Amino acid sequence: MFTRYFCRLHTIDDKPGSILSLCQLFEQLVHAMIPETVFHMLQLGCPPLHFAFHWMVNMFVEYLPVKEVLLLWDRVLGFDSLELLPLLAAAIFVFRKADLCAAQSMDEVEMLLEEFNGIKVVPLLQQVLFVTPLVGT
């Protein structure tokens, strides 16, 4: 697990699956899915990547309950891809979108994004991977 996945998260590299490409994927996802939330966070001085980077580098270990971490890792192994990390990070931002848009300070944003109660890995990943927006909405 370490040599196949973890080491890529702790090495600066431009190869696919490295932390740099995962950060780029995360930013593309949140800018496409919730641009107004990203804009609001940037106005508050809280770039979303500031939070997501720590989540991804640690593979969510310090943040999610153990059961949820294992469900995430199971999918990383099953899909043989670390791209699930930025997908989950983006899904968390989408899940917290309304609260993040209502935040008035960096402290409020930090408080919202440190709270992982109620975060379920599988439904959030399914939401991002399998829900397609309706045309014309």
Side-chain angles (χ1 to χ4, degrees):
M1 204 54 195
F2 179 81
T3 57
R4 185 152 182 99
Y5 300 108
F6 294 125
C7 65
R8 287 194 260 164
L9 299 174
H10 299 277
T11 306
I12 303 298
D13 198 342
D14 63 350
K15 294 179 184 170
S18 71
I19 192 62
L20 294 178
S21 66
L22 298 176
C23 289
Q24 182 181 22
L25 176 58
F26 167 77
E27 290 206 319
Q28 290 170 346
L29 288 169
V30 292
H31 283 277
M33 293 190 296
I34 51 170
E36 67 284 345
T37 306
V38 172
F39 181 72
H40 178 70
M41 290 181 69
L42 291 173
Q43 285 184 319
L44 295 175
C46 308
L49 186 59
H50 171 78
F51 301 96
F53 180 81
H54 296 287
W55 301 342
M56 292 187 295
V57 164
N58 293 307
M59 286 189 74
F60 289 88
V61 167
E62 297 177 17
Y63 306 97
L64 291 172
V66 173
K67 179 182 176 184
E68 297 301 316
V69 169
L70 293 177
L71 287 170
L72 174 61
W73 289 7
D74 184 50
R75 275 128 189 97
V76 167
L77 290 171
F79 285 101
D80 191 26
S81 174
L82 288 172
E83 289 180 352
L84 292 171
L85 301 177
L87 286 172
L88 178 60
I92 290 170
F93 277 85
V94 171
F95 180 69
R96 299 267 191 235
K97 177 176 86 167
D99 294 330
L100 289 169
C101 284
Q104 296 300 312
S105 69
M106 185 180 227
D107 291 336
E108 285 181 51
V109 170
E110 287 176 350
M111 217 169 60
L112 287 168
L113 294 174
E114 288 174 359
E115 179 59 46
F116 278 79
N117 288 339
I119 299 291
K120 300 292 183 193
V121 168
V122 175
L124 286 177
L125 286 174
Q126 288 175 338
Q127 178 82 23
V128 171
L129 289 171
F130 302 119
V131 174
T132 54
L134 297 174
V135 176
T137 59

